[in-house]
Amino acid sequence: LARSTKHEVEQIRQVIDRWALDVPLKLQASWLGRFCGESEGAHVGAFFELLLFEWLQAQGLAAEFIDPDESAGSSADLSVSLLDGQRLTIEAHTKLGDPSERRSEKLFEEVIDELRKLTSNWLLLEVEVDSPLTFQPSAKRAAKDVAAWVSSLRPADIREFLGRSLHEQEFLLQEHASHLRLNLDVGGGRLVVKPCHILESDREHELVLLWDGGGGAVDTEGPIKASLKRKRASRYRLDSDRFLPATNDLSQFTNERHALDALYGSERIRIDGSHSAPAFRGLDGAFGSRRRPRMENCSGFLFFPGCTAWNFWLKRPSYFAHPWSLCPIGEPFPLCRTWVLQDSRLIPRDGPNLGEVLG
């Protein structure tokens, strides 16, 4: 970033130079040392703190950098005055990870996002990774292949297959009923698509119900839970009792859906009397449940999906409200995608990407 002569890089440098003027003079030397140093973690972390500050200011929220010498030993980064007058303390954290794993997971999610556009009134599918994706997939072509395969299936065959034990199902797939499983070669890898439930419904549902990034190699929830556990609101007794962790995640965990699972619990289905499959949250995530809440001193969680100086304007942050927090702040960010839990179902309010907010 400092040495490139490309025009677009010069534009990024100008933006960062302009933002850096907002860092208090007393803190500038320390901030520049981190930003210009050799450590990738320190560099990306310093950039994220500045990005977060500018994003808050652009929404009309008065944000201030916290001087470490005056923070009573905490590692909080920003103090914010919300629009309703409440004060909020934020700690910014950047999580790095293996670039190859991160890319494979991102490519898989692109395919899943396209497959989730497919619907059916009689069948639900599960998708898992047999071998990781290595290059840009043709997600729309993959969706067409899945749709064509589903149209070739007979409900009677699927009903008989799903009525057998898992051991018998696997034997049948290997020996006699390979047509009931689709090996989808896409993006240099392979996905395995299988039926998992039959519906008898008058309306269309998302065809793909379950998906697995592959064999536990990608821990989609761990980074968020670790980020929450390392932050204790009892450490932040400045001028605010309201505490919010903000994570910029560049590890394998780069997807909003992973945050929903990690915080509110994995999505499940409850087959009702009409054989439909309404989804609900298991409430076994980092926030816990109404009866057994966790992280109550945390107001929520603010997630930025893999922001760097090279791509931040394309990214869309998300705020996840803690339903059982002892210090709730409602929906504090007017220009941010926001999730709230109502009756075990998550309700989203959409928001713009960073480029639209920062101009």
Side-chain angles (χ1 to χ4, degrees):
L1 185 64
R3 293 185 291 269
S4 176
T5 58
K6 293 182 178 179
H7 175 67
E8 57 268 28
V9 177
E10 175 60 28
Q11 289 181 310
I12 295 173
R13 278 199 297 262
Q14 291 176 4
V15 170
I16 294 175
D17 287 343
R18 186 172 70 250
W19 288 357
L21 296 177
D22 292 328
V23 178
L25 188 61
K26 183 179 179 181
L27 305 180
Q28 280 189 3
S30 172
W31 183 85
L32 286 172
R34 294 166 56 213
F35 189 77
C36 299
E38 296 296 324
S39 167
E40 181 186 7
H43 173 87
V44 178
F47 171 76
F48 177 53
E49 290 172 19
L50 189 55
L51 173 67
L52 180 58
F53 174 86
E54 297 295 332
W55 178 75
L56 293 166
Q57 292 279 96
Q59 298 180 77
L61 306 175
E64 299 177 0
F65 286 95
I66 295 175
D67 187 342
D69 294 337
E70 301 174 3
S71 61
S74 82
S75 55
D77 297 299
L78 295 168
S79 177
V80 185
S81 294
L82 302 178
L83 296 178
D84 62 2
Q86 296 186 88
R87 297 288 293 177
L88 177 67
T89 299
I90 297 179
E91 182 183 352
H93 173 62
T94 295
K95 173 71 175 178
L96 300 177
D98 186 318
S100 62
E101 290 179 340
R102 188 163 70 243
R103 175 169 171 76
S104 177
E105 175 71 4
K106 179 180 178 182
L107 296 176
F108 173 66
E109 295 292 350
E110 288 183 17
V111 177
I112 288 297
D113 286 343
E114 199 65 35
L115 295 183
R116 292 188 73 197
K117 297 177 183 178
L118 301 176
T119 61
S120 173
N121 65 354
W122 74 276
L123 182 63
L124 298 176
L125 302 176
E126 61 177 302
V127 182
E128 62 183 25
V129 173
D130 185 54
S131 59
L133 281 64
T134 58
F135 57 80
Q136 190 66 38
S138 176
K140 292 184 182 297
R141 173 63 183 272
K144 289 182 179 179
D145 289 345
V146 171
W149 172 69
V150 168
S151 68
S152 72
L153 299 175
R154 297 196 315 162
D157 292 342
I158 301 299
R159 184 174 286 105
E160 180 185 359
F161 172 75
L162 293 177
R164 296 178 178 269
S165 69
L166 293 178
H167 178 75
E168 290 176 320
Q169 287 180 18
E170 191 58 35
F171 175 79
L172 286 172
L173 290 173
Q174 295 291 338
E175 301 294 332
H176 305 293
S178 59
H179 65 285
L180 299 183
R181 174 173 60 190
L182 175 64
N183 293 321
L184 189 63
D185 293 319
V186 57
R190 172 171 287 186
L191 307 182
V192 177
V193 186
K194 297 183 293 185
C196 66
H197 187 75
I198 281 191
L199 296 173
E200 295 179 10
S201 175
D202 295 330
R203 62 186 182 88
E204 298 282 312
H205 296 264
E206 284 188 13
L207 179 60
V208 175
L209 175 67
L210 305 170
W211 56 91
D212 183 355
V218 177
D219 179 9
T220 59
E221 298 182 18
I224 277 295
K225 291 183 177 179
S227 179
L228 278 169
K229 288 178 180 178
R230 68 184 290 273
K231 305 174 190 306
R232 303 295 182 187
S234 59
R235 296 161 52 199
Y236 303 98
R237 294 299 182 236
L238 303 171
D239 57 352
S240 168
D241 288 329
R242 289 165 175 79
F243 163 66
L244 185 68
T247 289
N248 177 29
D249 204 304
L250 289 91
S251 66
Q252 302 108 328
F253 174 48
T254 56
N255 189 281
E256 180 186 63
R257 192 157 55 243
H258 298 157
L260 295 172
D261 291 344
L263 298 171
Y264 301 103
S266 56
E267 194 170 45
R268 306 174 184 180
I269 61 169
R270 181 186 295 113
I271 307 300
D272 61 25
S274 64
H275 302 283
S276 64
F280 68 100
R281 287 285 159 181
L283 302 183
D284 54 356
F287 287 158
S289 64
R290 184 182 301 278
R291 291 186 177 182
R292 295 184 178 180
R294 304 175 188 145
M295 308 291 177
E296 302 106 303
N297 289 327
C298 173
S299 298
F301 190 81
L302 190 55
F303 170 63
F304 287 70
C307 294
T308 69
W310 306 100
N311 67 11
F312 68 89
W313 55 89
L314 300 174
K315 300 296 184 174
R316 188 183 307 271
S318 300
Y319 171 69
F320 305 92
H322 192 325
W324 306 285
S325 173
L326 297 176
C327 44
I329 53 176
E331 300 182 25
F333 308 112
L335 300 179
C336 181
R337 182 168 172 82
T338 297
W339 290 87
V340 295
L341 188 69
Q342 296 179 4
D343 300 325
S344 297
R345 295 180 66 85
L346 285 163
I347 310 298
R349 172 175 61 79
D350 208 4
N353 63 31
L354 292 171
E356 293 168 328
V357 176
L358 296 168

